[in-house]
Amino acid sequence: MTNPCKEAITQEDREIVKNLDDYKVIIDLAHEPSIKIYAKKPVSLSQIVLLLKDFGITAKKEIFYSLNDVQISQIFIDTNITALQQAKEKVATIIEQALRGETLERCALYRFVLEKNISLEQVIFLRSLVKYLVQLLPEKKEQSIIKIFLNYPHLINYFIKYFFKQDFMEREKIEEKIHSSFKTVQNYEEDKLLRICYYAICSIKKTNFFAGKECKSYKFDLTKFKKLLPSLQPNIEIFVYHKDFLGVHLRISPVSRGGIRWSDREDFRQEIRDLMITQEAKNAIIIPSGGKGGLYIEKPITKKEFRHYYELYIDAMLDLIDKEPKERGDFYFVVAADKGTADMSDVANAIAIKRGYWLKDAFASGGSHGYNHKKLGVTAHGAWICAARHFIDRKIDIFKDPITVVGTGSMRGDVFGNGMLINPQIKLIGAISSHEIFIDPNPDPAIAFKERKRLFEEQKSWSDYNQTLISKGGGVFLRTQKEIKLSPQIKKVLNIKEDILSAEELAKYLLCAQVDMLYIGGIGTYVKSSEEFNIYIADKYNEPVRVDASALQAFAVCEGGNLGLTQKARIEYAKNGGRINLDSIDNSAGVNTSDYEVNLKIVLNKALKEQKIDENQKHSILKELTQEVLEKVFQENFMQPLAITLDALRSRNDKEDFIKAIELLERELEFFNKKDFDIPKIKEFDTVIDADGAIVRPVLGIVLSFSKIFLKRFILQSNLTQEPFFEHYLYKYFPKSLYPLFEKEVLTHPLAREIIATVAANIIIDNAGIRFIADFDELGSEKFLIKIKSYLLLYALLWIAKAKKELYKKESANKTSIYMQLLEIEDAVEFSVKWIVRNYQEFNSEPFHILNYKNEIAQFLDFKESIHSDFFRYIDLIKFVMPAIYIKELKEYPLNEVLSLLSEILSLFNIDALLQIIYNFSPKDNIGKELKMQLMELVEYFVVATAKDVVFYTRSKESLHDGLMNYIQEKMIDTSFFAQKIQELAQTPQDLMKISNVVHKLLLEAI
């Protein structure tokens, strides 16, 4: 650097200094090319030199001097003078803004300003594009992408022009030039990246780029180019660019939901994408599909700064969403709390309300006027309901009876804290939090409960636990402790031989303790399979304490938190006899509650708009509905584990249907992939079969969830939701006390169709199980629709929900198994559904017409106070209720007489026993399975055909009973012969030929 000299000061310098606010940049190309920088604050010349280098400008020498406290730096340069002549105003402006901190101090993309005379706005577009590509293609580094851009300036310039031109005709011309320019790209990898970049630009459906905001957002339709991307990808994506942070929001469909998290990962989109896929399974029971959002801030910031960035992020996303519902619009956009954003719901809702977004305070669930999950303890309570199913066979009620527990989490946390306060009788042996290990070898339940409650209420950690209340030998230890001297009590309860262990080793012993329940209530993956390597598991923090599933000794695992075990670990644990579902089943109560909140607020906001209620009344009504909402949420937590249990029992004898269902889901659902959920190929399917011959629960759980998703989407693609009968399921979704007051608002709910489809899918899969979808290919779409309608119709017609409700109460009161009875009900419904599907064209199966017979059927079956006992008394007749209606309408006999006739035929020919023999037959191959089905159909045909013949045979003055007796006498049918043959079959080993012989004799001799 030369010494300052008075001769360097010019009159121009004096004029500029006189009017200078902060910075001024002058580019002089008339004499020796130079750039002069005027600054009221000190400027780092090395910083300026590097900035100029980004433009493609080389600094040769510098002169530094000052005037009236203004620093003047003159830098003599070497560059393409012609290019700089054209772009000098833009270059100067960018340098000034960089000095002020208004734009980036360094950016290699500034080269395009000089080379292609682009503006700072266009540089920002390119930079946001590069940042997006880095997230989209994690294997690519930012510098390598920029290098490729710089190698093809003409092509990149066309990309810029394409984005900035809104006229369709002009864009078409630019497209031609782009396609032509691609021919100059010789390298395959470079060509691939540039094409993905181009397709991404082409797929931008909406942007706020031209709104003049500092935070830029783009909405991409990834369906147009996702085939070029690795692994599963969302269909709709919002990318948010700001010079200080980045954000994404990923959605599987326009109607999706999921939390927004503050990520600490550079590849944060990868994390968000994986969570979106996980969310899809969890969202199976609710209206929206899976979605997830997140933002990443590279530099350390304060909570106040984070709130500012969060506000910018939310505001930028709402720029791309329709303010009001409209046909085929993108109007359903909701967010929820997640890691780092637990207290941001009110902030998000305030932005939505200010902007006039139609969802208002339904935009972000769980705010000050929403359902607070922690206060309600909803996630933990739902998880315990799910886990309770594991203990029923042991006649243990985990809500009341003493059980031993080891857990992950602290009493400050929502899921762990609430979970440890559900049952005052639990004996918490120990827990592992993010920093501490708590061990109480022989706790006094009452004392320990009271102390846990204090910690929860005061939001304290394990180190604040009153040490005098811990049983002898116990204590609280830091996870960082190198050595812990073990007490005899700890050694005994954890079966440890060593006297001294590190905290990490002690934590492993604790996880593997022989207890009733391992309760996952905190964040982290604590269990992997023995075949997995830690390097492939995302949670690195808990790697030192992670154990293999084969080492777990807990009777059952309850996953109140997410990702406590890998899916492979769950399968291994289940194969070894452990009782477990999976996290998306156990902790679904939270997302279900949030979804109810959103849909209730939509109804109440409509009522508010129409001035039926005011704001205070709206908040009061939502609060009053809390208990009803929780009952509905917890009912689903009860139903799903029960459905898994019943499917496990079914799978012992019928794996083929489950395999068919899995293959159907993999073919039809983009986000269901056997490999992603560790479901083996058909040849290796035995690897997910437990010691009882059943498919393990973690596999059944994930297939159950995606079966609901498949069924929901199939219903939505049909016209079923528009049929009057299905309107009932819209009302069924909402609390009973709501819809009478707001019927109009419920009926005009923008997601009415989605709600109907979700409720219907939940009812069917929760009760009929996964096998319901197995015959989809065999039936075809039209008949499968009939199957769906028939199932739901029979459910309503035969009071099945009420009969099952009585059984659930019986199970709870007597702690007796009801599984066989539930399966028997579903077998009867399945039998009847199959008959309807085969014969629906021969009679009027319109639901409301059939439901006219509901009370008449109930009277005949003598349904009084205890439906379920009468139900099983008539279980075989129930299989033939629909044929009874069909026969009744052929010739106008009272329905009760036709039912009596069918009942008598069933009894005379011992049909119930014959059907049971056929049902119990276990075929060894597909031919045997097909023959079994044919025999069932033949028996059904015999009963219906005989009843039909008798109805037409009976004279006008005869009763149907007399008609049947005369019919048998005239045809010389020996009913005792069949009764004897069926009795013989029941007493001999299964023999398909003998069964076939009896069935064919029924048909030949009787018909």
Side-chain angles (χ1 to χ4, degrees):
M1 184 182 294
T2 63
N3 293 322
C5 57
K6 290 184 179 179
E7 289 78 7
I9 299 171
T10 65
Q11 186 59 35
E12 184 185 29
D13 291 339
R14 291 188 174 92
E15 289 298 321
I16 290 171
V17 167
K18 186 178 176 182
N19 300 302
L20 187 66
D21 291 326
D22 49 10
Y23 301 98
K24 181 72 177 175
V25 174
I26 299 294
I27 298 176
D28 181 11
L29 301 177
H31 307 93
E32 184 180 0
S34 70
I35 295 176
K36 197 177 279 189
I37 299 169
Y38 302 82
K40 281 195 169 182
K41 296 178 183 177
V43 171
S44 166
L45 279 179
S46 60
Q47 177 189 335
I48 296 296
V49 169
L50 291 172
L51 175 57
L52 293 176
K53 187 179 178 182
D54 285 338
F55 285 97
I57 299 170
T58 303
K60 295 194 299 183
K61 63 179 179 178
E62 304 93 21
I63 296 176
F64 168 81
Y65 53 98
S66 61
L67 176 65
N68 298 340
D69 296 326
V70 172
Q71 176 184 311
I72 303 172
S73 307
Q74 186 171 14
I75 304 168
F76 294 92
I77 58 172
D78 183 19
T79 189
N80 183 332
I81 300 301
T82 306
L84 184 56
Q85 184 69 49
Q86 292 180 324
K88 70 176 186 176
E89 294 300 326
K90 292 171 184 172
V91 172
T93 300
I94 291 171
I95 294 171
E96 287 173 6
Q97 290 190 11
L99 290 170
R100 294 190 191 104
E102 294 171 356
T103 191
L104 293 161
E105 294 177 356
R106 295 292 314 278
C107 181
L109 294 166
Y110 288 151
R111 180 73 61 91
F112 286 102
V113 179
L114 194 63
E115 290 193 11
K116 293 298 177 184
N117 195 22
I118 69 171
S119 65
L120 175 60
E121 188 181 39
Q122 291 169 324
V123 171
I124 290 169
F125 165 67
L126 276 187
R127 183 164 177 80
S128 63
L129 203 57
V130 169
K131 290 289 186 181
Y132 179 56
L133 289 172
V134 170
Q135 293 299 321
L136 204 60
L137 305 165
E139 73 279 8
K140 299 291 183 184
K141 300 297 180 185
E142 184 174 328
Q143 290 309 312
S144 67
I145 294 173
I146 292 174
K147 186 179 178 182
I148 293 170
F149 275 29
L150 293 174
N151 287 342
Y152 300 96
H154 293 293
L155 186 55
I156 299 302
N157 198 34
Y158 287 137
F159 287 176
I160 295 168
K161 287 178 179 179
Y162 182 89
F163 176 75
F164 280 82
K165 293 286 185 185
Q166 300 301 310
D167 181 79
F168 177 75
M169 296 297 288
E170 288 187 33
R171 276 193 163 191
E172 272 197 333
K173 292 176 184 176
I174 296 168
E175 278 179 358
E176 290 175 12
K177 292 177 180 178
I178 288 171
H179 291 303
S180 177
S181 295
F182 268 118
K183 294 175 184 176
T184 64
V185 184
Q186 299 299 315
N187 182 283
Y188 173 77
E189 287 298 323
E190 291 180 346
D191 183 86
K192 183 181 176 182
L193 182 133
L194 290 167
R195 286 186 188 276
I196 288 173
C197 178
Y198 172 55
Y199 294 141
I201 297 168
C202 293
S203 74
I204 296 172
K205 296 177 74 175
K206 200 169 184 179
T207 180
N208 75 347
F209 191 90
F210 304 103
K213 293 187 174 183
E214 60 176 306
C215 207
K216 310 296 183 185
S217 58
Y218 310 85
K219 180 161 63 178
F220 295 94
D221 177 4
L222 265 74
T223 59
K224 294 183 177 179
F225 69 100
K226 64 193 294 185
K227 288 181 180 178
L228 298 173
L229 302 175
S231 32
L232 292 171
Q233 298 291 341
N235 291 315
I236 303 166
E237 174 166 6
I238 291 175
F239 179 72
V240 177
Y241 169 81
H242 185 277
K243 68 183 182 68
D244 295 329
F245 75 89
L246 302 174
V248 294
H249 193 280
L250 313 180
R251 288 183 284 166
I252 285 174
S253 74
V255 179
S256 298
R257 75 163 287 126
I260 304 291
R261 68 167 36 201
W262 180 2
S263 177
D264 55 6
R265 283 173 54 175
E266 287 186 15
D267 63 338
F268 74 103
R269 185 187 180 274
Q270 190 91 343
E271 177 189 25
I272 303 303
R273 193 208 65 181
D274 292 345
L275 289 167
M276 175 204 70
I277 295 167
T278 302
Q279 195 70 39
E280 173 74 339
K282 190 180 288 190
N283 284 12
I285 62 170
I286 67 170
I287 315 309
S289 302
K292 206 75 178 178
L295 60 165
Y296 171 71
I297 305 159
E298 191 170 357
K299 63 181 183 180
I301 58 168
T302 64
K303 189 66 179 174
K304 185 179 179 181
E305 287 174 312
F306 174 74
R307 174 172 172 154
H308 173 63
Y309 290 147
Y310 180 84
E311 287 173 337
L312 290 174
Y313 167 72
I314 293 292
D315 184 68
M317 291 197 295
L318 284 175
D319 284 332
L320 312 184
I321 305 299
D322 297 328
K323 280 190 173 183
E324 295 289 339
K326 62 180 183 180
E327 190 72 24
R328 296 187 179 180
D330 186 14
F331 58 85
Y332 185 87
F333 190 72
V334 294
V335 299
D338 205 304
K339 176 186 167 187
T341 62
D343 54 353
M344 288 290 140
S345 291
D346 285 340
V347 174
N349 283 333
I351 296 168
I353 292 166
K354 183 180 178 181
R355 295 194 52 141
Y357 181 47
W358 75 281
L359 278 173
K360 298 181 179 177
D361 64 341
F363 171 55
S365 55
S368 54
H369 294 295
Y371 293 134
N372 186 308
H373 293 191
K374 190 168 185 177
K375 287 181 181 177
L376 294 172
V378 61
T379 306
H381 196 89
W384 274 66
I385 291 171
C386 290
R389 178 57 50 194
H390 304 314
F391 291 86
I392 284 175
D393 292 343
R394 291 173 65 186
K395 299 187 183 298
I396 292 173
D397 182 347
I398 64 170
F399 285 88
K400 297 176 183 175
D401 299 333
I403 60 168
T404 54
V405 178
V406 163
T408 65
S410 75
M411 289 309 298
R412 288 185 299 188
D414 168 16
V415 179
F416 186 86
N418 276 302
M420 292 301 98
L421 297 177
I422 285 173
N423 178 2
Q425 294 299 314
I426 70 166
K427 298 179 77 173
L428 179 64
I429 305 301
I432 305 166
S433 69
S434 55
H435 300 292
E436 297 159 330
I437 301 169
F438 167 79
I439 300 179
D440 194 357
N442 186 26
D444 180 308
I447 292 171
F449 178 81
K450 188 176 179 181
E451 181 63 1
R452 288 198 304 273
K453 191 170 185 290
R454 181 185 71 81
L455 292 182
F456 181 73
E457 290 170 351
E458 296 177 11
Q459 288 295 281
K460 300 287 188 180
S461 65
W462 289 121
S463 58
D464 298 302
Y465 198 102
N466 187 337
Q467 300 281 321
T468 63
L469 301 179
I470 299 175
S471 61
K472 187 178 180 181
V476 178
F477 313 97
L478 293 175
R479 279 179 57 168
T480 53
Q481 284 182 242
K482 186 177 178 181
E483 288 188 353
I484 298 172
K485 188 175 181 181
L486 305 180
S487 67
Q489 292 79 12
I490 289 179
K491 289 175 68 176
K492 182 181 178 182
V493 76
L494 300 182
N495 194 24
I496 302 173
K497 293 178 181 178
E498 293 86 350
D499 294 323
I500 296 173
L501 290 176
S502 70
E504 291 171 353
E505 290 168 327
L506 180 59
K508 288 184 176 184
Y509 271 103
L510 187 58
L511 287 168
C512 299
Q514 191 169 352
V515 290
D516 294 313
M517 183 197 291
L518 171 59
Y519 180 59
I520 305 294
I523 296 169
T525 304
Y526 289 89
V527 187
K528 67 176 185 66
S529 83
S530 54
E531 295 177 356
E532 288 179 294
F533 295 100
N534 278 313
I535 193 171
Y536 299 115
I537 296 170
D539 174 25
K540 299 303 174 189
Y541 182 80
N542 288 299
E543 185 174 318
V545 302
R546 191 172 297 132
V547 298
D548 289 346
S550 57
L552 294 184
Q553 296 183 79
F555 170 75
V557 174
C558 175
E559 291 193 76
N562 287 321
L563 304 173
L565 292 84
T566 66
Q567 181 69 351
K568 280 186 177 178
R570 294 184 190 111
I571 292 169
E572 182 172 71
Y573 174 68
K575 281 195 72 177
N576 289 338
R579 309 297 178 91
I580 188 171
N581 300 316
L582 65 158
D583 51 1
S584 59
I585 296 290
D586 284 355
N587 63 35
S588 64
V591 72
N592 204 359
T593 304
S594 293
D595 198 44
Y596 268 104
E597 179 188 330
V598 171
N599 288 310
L600 288 171
K601 282 182 175 178
I602 288 172
V603 169
L604 295 173
N605 282 339
K606 286 168 79 74
L608 181 67
K609 189 176 181 180
E610 292 165 15
Q611 299 183 330
K612 286 186 177 182
I613 55 173
D614 60 30
E615 194 73 33
N616 289 332
Q617 287 173 315
K618 174 189 144 183
H619 298 323
S620 297
I621 292 168
L622 190 70
K623 191 174 181 181
E624 288 163 9
L625 293 171
T626 303
Q627 197 52 44
E628 282 187 82
V629 168
L630 292 181
E631 284 173 8
K632 285 183 171 291
V633 167
F634 295 149
Q635 179 62 21
E636 193 56 39
N637 288 122
F638 174 84
M639 291 302 298
Q640 291 206 121
L642 176 58
I644 293 170
T645 298
L646 296 177
D647 268 345
L649 292 170
R650 291 180 180 115
S651 72
R652 291 178 184 179
N653 300 315
D654 189 10
K655 292 177 186 62
E656 286 298 318
D657 276 352
F658 289 91
I659 290 170
K660 277 186 186 178
I662 289 167
E663 290 181 324
L664 172 70
L665 294 175
E666 189 164 41
R667 189 188 74 217
E668 296 292 328
L669 297 181
E670 179 185 4
F671 290 89
F672 182 84
N673 184 299
K674 290 201 293 286
K675 187 178 178 182
D676 291 337
F677 298 110
D678 297 299
I679 299 172
K681 297 174 183 177
I682 297 172
K683 292 178 181 178
E684 300 162 356
F685 208 75
D686 285 347
T687 58
V688 291
I689 305 300
D690 66 18
D692 295 322
I695 300 172
V696 292
R697 295 180 72 88
V699 170
L700 290 172
I702 202 71
V703 177
L704 178 98
S705 295
F706 279 93
S707 295
K708 289 184 177 185
I709 292 167
F710 168 78
L711 198 57
K712 180 165 49 172
R713 291 186 184 178
F714 181 78
I715 292 170
L716 281 171
Q717 288 164 4
S718 72
N719 294 319
L720 285 183
T721 58
Q722 295 167 352
E723 293 187 15
F725 171 67
F726 280 81
E727 193 176 285
H728 159 74
Y729 297 104
L730 179 60
Y731 293 125
K732 193 176 179 69
Y733 173 82
F734 289 99
K736 284 184 179 178
S737 58
L738 179 83
Y739 64 77
L741 300 173
F742 305 104
E743 186 175 3
K744 178 189 170 186
E745 288 76 14
V746 168
L747 283 171
T748 56
H749 194 293
L751 301 184
R753 292 184 66 248
E754 286 82 359
I755 291 171
I756 290 167
T758 302
V759 173
N762 279 334
I763 289 171
I764 293 172
I765 301 300
D766 281 344
N767 290 281
I770 294 163
R771 294 189 316 158
F772 185 88
I773 67 169
D775 60 357
F776 177 80
D777 289 333
E778 184 183 322
L779 292 177
S781 294
E782 183 184 348
K783 284 189 175 180
F784 193 70
L785 278 175
I786 300 298
K787 182 179 182 180
I788 292 169
K789 284 175 67 174
S790 303
Y791 186 90
L792 294 170
L793 173 59
L794 286 165
Y795 231 75
L797 180 70
L798 299 174
W799 304 79
I800 288 172
K802 194 169 182 181
K804 285 190 173 184
K805 194 174 181 180
E806 289 177 6
L807 284 172
Y808 303 150
K809 286 180 181 177
K810 177 186 172 186
E811 179 188 56
S812 178
N814 304 330
K815 294 181 180 175
T816 54
S817 174
I818 57 169
Y819 301 146
M820 291 305 113
Q821 290 166 293
L822 292 173
L823 289 172
E824 198 172 354
I825 289 174
E826 287 303 318
D827 289 341
V829 175
E830 182 183 14
F831 189 95
S832 193
V833 165
K834 285 180 176 178
W835 184 86
I836 299 171
V837 171
R838 284 195 297 272
N839 298 281
Y840 73 96
Q841 292 177 322
E842 296 182 27
F843 69 106
N844 181 3
S845 60
E846 196 280 320
F848 288 125
H849 169 70
I850 298 297
L851 288 172
N852 285 330
Y853 294 108
K854 184 172 182 175
N855 289 330
E856 202 173 339
I857 292 166
Q859 285 173 3
F860 178 83
L861 299 177
D862 199 25
F863 285 171
K864 292 177 183 175
E865 288 184 11
S866 178
I867 288 179
H868 81 268
S869 57
D870 296 318
F871 197 96
F872 288 103
R873 188 151 51 94
Y874 290 104
I875 192 73
D876 288 297
L877 178 59
I878 282 168
K879 295 173 184 174
F880 291 94
V881 163
M882 287 303 290
I885 294 171
Y886 159 66
I887 292 166
K888 177 246 182 280
E889 293 186 347
L890 289 174
K891 195 171 181 182
E892 283 299 319
Y893 276 100
L895 182 60
N896 65 326
E897 289 188 28
V898 179
L899 286 167
S900 293
L901 170 65
L902 282 162
S903 183
E904 203 166 355
I905 293 169
L906 294 173
S907 177
L908 279 169
F909 291 94
N910 208 5
I911 296 298
D912 55 341
L914 180 57
L915 286 173
Q916 193 61 47
I917 290 165
I918 299 170
Y919 183 79
N920 290 338
F921 176 73
S922 299
K924 295 177 181 178
D925 51 32
N926 287 334
I927 294 173
K929 188 177 178 182
E930 193 173 332
L931 284 171
K932 179 179 176 177
M933 286 176 59
Q934 289 173 358
L935 290 173
M936 297 280 277
E937 289 173 20
L938 289 172
V939 173
E940 169 213 286
Y941 176 78
F942 163 75
V943 173
V944 176
T946 301
K948 203 165 138 184
D949 284 352
V950 169
V951 164
F952 284 104
Y953 181 88
T954 303
R955 298 176 182 85
S956 58
K957 292 184 181 180
E958 281 184 329
S959 68
L960 288 177
H961 166 75
D962 292 337
L964 175 61
M965 294 301 105
N966 292 334
Y967 177 84
I968 288 171
Q969 187 177 354
E970 188 171 309
K971 285 196 169 269
M972 294 182 292
I973 300 170
D974 184 359
T975 56
S976 62
F977 168 79
F978 289 107
Q980 182 187 341
K981 287 291 181 185
I982 291 167
Q983 189 176 359
E984 288 173 6
L985 281 176
Q987 293 170 351
T988 56
Q990 292 182 347
D991 189 321
L992 190 61
M993 292 301 293
K994 287 182 180 179
I995 298 170
S996 299
N997 182 46
V998 172
V999 173
H1000 283 96
K1001 279 187 176 179
L1002 269 176
L1003 291 170
L1004 292 172
E1005 295 188 31
I1007 298 177

